[in-house]
Amino acid sequence: MKKHWWKALAVVIMTYVIWVGLMGDVPRQPILNESIRNVYFHVPLWFSMVILMLTSMIFAIRYLRKGRLNDDHVSVEFANTAILYGILGCATGSLWASVTWGDPWPNDPKLNSVAVGMLMYFAYLILRNSFDDELRRARVSAIYNIFAFAVFVPLIFVLPRLTDSLHPGNGGNPAFGQYDMDNGMRLVLYPSVIGMTLIGVWITQLRVRLRRLRDRLDNVNDSLPKAHSTAE
């Protein structure tokens, strides 16, 4: 149990976030109204996604340095979980945009940048599936992963700030914390980032274990015909 304390912590944190996020008091702001509760879910999904992408890139670098396939497996599974978080982030953002802006996907620089960034990571998965040789697939995709993250971060955090944007903190708009978030909301927002990141690590850990089990089963299945032919 000593090794799994962080899983219990993730469950406790997310239980707290969901309960207080849906039932607790929030500032009453024009236009946002009750939809401001989405700050507890939409924003942490994006922060957690970036953390998972960063971790994926770190394991890609480790693979290129040490050549261990396990690092490649961990890297791709962190990327898979990050993509899942990105999809959930887009979904929660579209719901929020439809309420506050009247359009689930307006022509906004940050939204368009996110779409391009997500397409880059979808291309990463397609690239991996285009190689039959495992070592070549791992090396090429690791290099792509590093460049994809290096482009993704300025694409969603820097470029939208250089032009007009509907998002808070971009295009001259004040950030949330400057006018409508109180300390009570921060007591939910920050734990939500931690909890969602831990859940993402947990999902990745399970996917890595499943990948290892599939690899072992494939090795056993490959060895069966050889053993049968030798017996004959």
Side-chain angles (χ1 to χ4, degrees):
M1 289 297 294
K2 293 182 179 179
K3 296 181 179 179
H4 304 294
W5 62 269
W6 58 274
K7 298 177 182 177
L9 178 62
V11 173
V12 171
I13 289 176
M14 291 312 301
T15 301
Y16 161 76
V17 168
I18 293 172
W19 176 257
V20 179
L22 296 179
M23 305 300 295
D25 293 331
V26 291
R28 299 297 182 220
Q29 296 295 335
I31 302 177
L32 291 174
N33 299 314
E34 288 292 323
S35 72
I36 197 174
R37 297 180 187 276
N38 202 21
V39 169
Y40 301 140
F41 307 102
H42 174 66
V43 176
L45 278 169
W46 285 115
F47 279 115
S48 301
M49 177 195 70
V50 173
I51 294 172
L52 296 173
M53 287 179 174
L54 173 62
T55 309
S56 175
M57 184 195 69
I58 290 172
F59 275 94
I61 294 173
R62 287 184 59 176
Y63 171 76
L64 292 175
R65 290 185 60 190
K66 300 181 179 180
R68 297 184 304 192
L69 281 175
N70 182 64
D71 289 333
D72 173 66
H73 295 165
V74 175
S75 177
V76 67
E77 294 304 345
F78 266 111
N80 282 329
T81 307
I83 290 171
L84 172 63
Y85 273 36
I87 294 172
L88 293 175
C90 287
T92 54
S94 294
L95 289 173
W96 201 0
S98 64
V99 172
T100 57
W101 300 333
D103 188 346
W105 198 281
N107 187 21
D108 180 74
K110 189 154 192 173
L111 289 175
N112 295 335
S113 296
V114 165
V116 173
M118 293 301 297
L119 288 175
M120 288 194 308
Y121 274 88
F122 285 132
Y124 165 76
L125 299 181
I126 295 173
L127 177 67
R128 286 189 63 88
N129 291 328
S130 64
F131 292 100
D132 293 327
D133 182 80
E134 188 173 19
L135 295 177
R136 188 180 180 189
R137 176 174 63 238
R139 178 168 292 274
V140 173
S141 61
I143 295 172
Y144 181 94
N145 192 346
I146 296 170
F147 282 101
F149 184 78
V151 173
F152 187 84
V153 171
L155 192 64
I156 65 171
F157 289 116
V158 179
L159 292 182
R161 295 178 180 271
L162 303 179
T163 183
D164 293 334
S165 175
L166 295 171
H167 277 79
N170 296 275
N173 291 331
F176 263 120
Q178 290 183 316
Y179 67 97
D180 55 10
M181 279 190 63
D182 56 19
N183 291 330
M185 290 193 70
R186 292 186 180 90
L187 290 176
V188 183
L189 175 63
Y190 298 151
S192 182
V193 175
I194 296 172
M196 288 191 182
T197 301
L198 292 176
I199 293 293
V201 174
W202 194 352
I203 294 172
T204 302
Q205 185 187 69
L206 292 174
R207 288 185 60 88
V208 170
R209 288 180 178 177
L210 287 173
R211 179 179 286 270
R212 290 172 182 169
L213 286 174
R214 286 198 301 266
D215 290 342
R216 289 178 184 177
L217 288 175
D218 290 340
N219 291 333
V220 170
N221 292 333
D222 291 339
S223 63
L224 287 178
K226 295 180 181 179
H228 180 69
S229 60
T230 301
E232 291 179 349

